[in-house]
Structure formats: C-alpha cells, structure tokens
Amino acid sequence: MSANKSLLILPGDGIGPEVMDEVRRVIDWFDRGRAVKFDIEDGLVGGIAIDEEGAPISDATMDKAKASDAVLFGAVGGPKWDGLPFEMKAERGLLRLRKDMDLFANLRPALCFEALADASSLKRELVAGLDIMILRELTGGVYFGEPRGVEDLPDGTKRAVDTQVYTTPEIERIARVGFEMAQKRRGIVHSAEKSNVMHTGVLWREVVQRVHDEEYPDVELHHILADNCSMQLVRTPKQFDVIVTDNLFGDMLSDVAAMLTGSLGMLPSASLGAPDPATGKRYALYEPVHGSAPDITGQGIANPCASLLSFAMALRYSYDMGDEADLLEKAVSNVLEGGMRTADIMQDGKARVSTSVMGDTLLRELDKLNG
Ligand code: IPM
Ligand code: MG
C-alpha cells in the first residue's frame, strides 16, 4: 500500500485538458517544493470517453473514481456529441459520478478577488470583498427524479416529463452541511426554494426550519424564494453568507454568483459525499464550474484559475492540507494582483496572457511564497 495521496484526473472535453495541464504542473511543484507526493491516475469522461470507450464514463473509470482519495474533473461536452440520445450524452458521465458516489453536497464558493473587483459586470462597491458559499444539493431533485422521458402522443405531438422530488432525509442532510458551514463563517443561512408554487418547496422550507430549530438555533436562518434570491444576488450580493438550495436552483444561482466574481473562469467547486462513520473518509470530486467552452477550445487562452482553485479545495477538504491550500490560493491572488489576465478577465492596462503563461507565473509565485 502506498502512503501517497491518490488522485484521479478526468480532464474530459473542450478546455478541460488545457486547464488540467496547469494543475498537473502545480502538483509537480508540490512534489518538488513541499515533498508532497500524489499518485495520479488518468481516466476518460464525456465525449472523449464516448468516442474511445463507448460510454460517457466506463465502469472501470467509475471503480477508479471510488478507489481514489479524490477526483479532479475538467469539463464535458461539445458540439460533436450534442445530437446523441439522452443516456449517451457527454453530461451523463458527470451525472453518473455524482449519483453513484452520492456526492450530495456541492460547495460553490463565489469569492471576489480584490484584483478583479473591476472585472465584474457589477459595480466595484457591490462586489469588492464578496465571499458567498452556494451550497447546492447535487443528487436529487429534477436532475434525477422519476418518471422522466419523452413520449409520442396519438396526435403526432410529444409529451416530455421531468420530476422534481425531494425526501425529508435528503433535505435534512444538505441543511446540516449548510448550517455547519455557516457556523464556521458569518453565521447566516439563506434557504432558497419555490414554496409558493412547488410542493417540494413547501417540504424544503419545513424541514430546513425544523433542523435549524432543533440543532442549529445559533445560526441566523432566512427563507427566500429562489427567483427573489437571483434578483437579490445582483442587487446586494454581500447580504449573503451561505445559500442552501436544491439541484436546479443551485445550478442557476451559482452561474449568477459566478459573474459577480468577474468570470465563470474563476469559480471552483467541491462535491462531497457523507463521511464514512468508521474511517471519516468521504468520496469527493472537484471541478471548475465553467464548462467545456467549445468556442475557445484549442486556442490556449482558457483561464486555469477555476481548476487551480478546485485543486486547492481538494487540498483542504480531501487531503487535510489547509496550509498548502492557503498557499495556492494566495499564489493565484498574487498573480492577479500582478496584472496577469486571461481573456475572460481582461481589463484595460493589464497583461493579456495565455493559459500556460498564467501557469508559468503561478509557479514562480509559488517559489517566491515558499521562500
Ligand atoms: C454544472 C453544469 C452541469 C449541471 C452540467 C454540465 C450537467 O452546468 O455543474 O453546473 O447542470 O449540473
Ligand atoms: Mg451549471
């Protein structure tokens, strides 16, 4: 048995492999600079897995993912695979990873780096210093609810069905994660649903309130309708600390929150399972929130920050290496302070650089910080 930390890298499609290359260089740096060794394995997911292995993720890759301390995921999908039948879509690879590993807690921190406060589409004073955690339920709701599908009707038209479904335990466990995170932050939870029109929203509100009253009365809890939440996010984003919400609302609200920080290219995420009661070990997957970005694939201009910050989250949550996570986050922040910008966060008077030059600069910054 190796004492090294194991990591499965699934670069996927589009800009996924490009940004993952920069993470690999940082992993090599940790080996050299801090004597931290990772056992890295590679696998296929998404369109490339469909082409080479006949499925958006193979059983063998699923087994590797479960055996690994953490999975680092790039991005999936692209025009080449858009027309495929539903179960063969590139996105199914990601959804299977989430479902089969029961990664129910999706942490999407929206943090506005000081250097990027002017890159947001919102005014500087609204976003400077912003630090929100969107906690998205990731294995339930309309993404997986049954029945689902499309049927042909006798009159030649079709009928499509997706089902939004949540149970008490599913809401309880995500609510607990949210309250526990808030206790370590500013102590405020906003729970977002649509209890004005959806039964799942009514249950969601009831269960979150009960978990709060019984277990976390010290946390300040607000219920907010999801549509209002999206409006409030662009009006006065700093009122939020932790936002707990379901799978679909979390998908949308986290894209909104991303733009507050300057670019989707900045946002990391962690998807965590429940810790094993005996060992404390939990399944975990880390991924940039941006997608495969077919429009800029192959040009070497993608922003590697979201992937690098996702790896920092892995250091913190899967490898218990908080100091190393701080170091990497600080290095990213300093590179931005120094004026380096990929195209997505470009501003007047800054230096527009490629993916790999951003990576070079980051490695130099790590050397500097490491003394
Ligand atoms: C995300 C993405 C995914 C989702 C897609 C790629 C399946 O948009 O992680 O936010 O809808 O969950
Ligand atoms: Mg999304």
Side-chain angles (χ1 to χ4, degrees), residues 73 76 91-92 94-95 98 106 108 136 138 143 247-248 250-252 254-255 269 287-291:
F73 182 99
V76 288
E91 287 76 10
R92 299 313 297 178
L94 175 58
L95 295 172
R98 290 175 180 172
N106 182 215
R108 298 191 162 189
R136 168 186 178 193
L138 201 60
Y143 272 63
N247 206 341
L248 184 61
D251 182 43
M252 303 181 63
S254 59
D255 266 31
S269 78
E287 69 176 300
V289 173
H290 64 65

Side-chain angles (χ1 to χ4, degrees), residues 45-297:
V45 69
I48 186 164
I50 294 170
D51 289 351
E52 296 192 14
E53 298 176 342
I57 189 160
S58 68
D59 293 344
T61 305
M62 278 307 308
D63 289 343
K64 276 193 202 169
K66 288 182 180 166
S68 214
D69 290 332
V71 177
L72 196 60
F73 182 99
V76 288
K80 180 175 177 198
W81 305 282
D82 276 350
L84 291 174
F86 198 77
E87 286 309 317
M88 277 296 285
K89 282 195 181 304
E91 287 76 10
R92 299 313 297 178
L94 175 58
L95 295 172
R96 182 172 175 199
L97 282 159
R98 290 175 180 172
K99 192 68 180 172
D100 286 11
M101 297 204 287
D102 201 18
L103 304 171
F104 71 95
N106 182 215
L107 284 56
R108 298 191 162 189
L111 211 127
C112 184
F113 285 88
E114 179 52 32
L116 293 186
D118 292 310
S120 170
S121 47
L122 270 72
K123 297 189 198 83
R124 159 177 273 277
E125 61 268 27
L126 289 182
V127 297
L130 181 82
D131 178 3
I132 305 179
M133 178 67 84
I134 301 212
L135 178 62
R136 168 186 178 193
E137 199 291 329
L138 201 60
T139 49
V142 75
Y143 272 63
F144 299 99
E146 299 284 346
R148 58 200 281 115
V150 191
E151 59 179 335
D152 293 310
L153 298 178
D155 69 357
T157 62
K158 291 178 194 278
R159 180 172 176 272
V161 178
D162 294 286
T163 303
Q164 164 84 340
V165 46
Y166 272 106
T167 61
T168 303
E170 281 177 312
I171 303 169
E172 281 171 348
R173 66 179 183 171
I174 194 74
R176 288 194 181 103
V177 176
F179 289 127
E180 270 154 41
M181 277 188 334
Q183 283 175 331
K184 295 188 197 123
R185 296 169 48 98
R186 296 190 300 284
I188 309 169
V189 166
H190 283 79
S191 168
E193 31 63 8
K194 284 285 288 177
S195 57
N196 53 346
V197 285
M198 298 170 80
H199 292 288
T200 46
V202 174
L203 182 67
W204 186 281
R205 186 176 282 225
E206 274 170 22
V207 172
V208 171
Q209 185 68 53
R210 178 175 48 73
V211 171
H212 170 269
D213 295 350
E214 290 175 2
E215 301 172 39
Y216 306 94
D218 54 314
V219 174
E220 183 181 321
L221 170 64
H222 301 270
H223 300 285
I224 185 167
L225 296 176
D227 51 347
N228 183 28
C229 187
S230 65
M231 187 271 278
Q232 297 291 342
L233 267 173
V234 290
R235 196 180 76 117
T236 38
K238 285 191 247 175
Q239 68 181 290
F240 296 106
D241 179 16
V242 176
I243 297 176
V244 183
T245 192
D246 79 7
N247 206 341
L248 184 61
F249 297 141
D251 182 43
M252 303 181 63
L253 293 175
S254 59
D255 266 31
V256 175
M259 272 322 290
L260 305 175
T261 72
S263 165
L264 205 47
M266 290 302 301
L267 235 75
S269 78
S271 303
L272 308 175
D276 181 298
T279 62
K281 195 177 134 53
R282 63 185 350 160
Y283 289 140
L285 179 143
Y286 299 87
E287 69 176 300
V289 173
H290 64 65
S292 55
D295 53 323
I296 59 161
T297 298

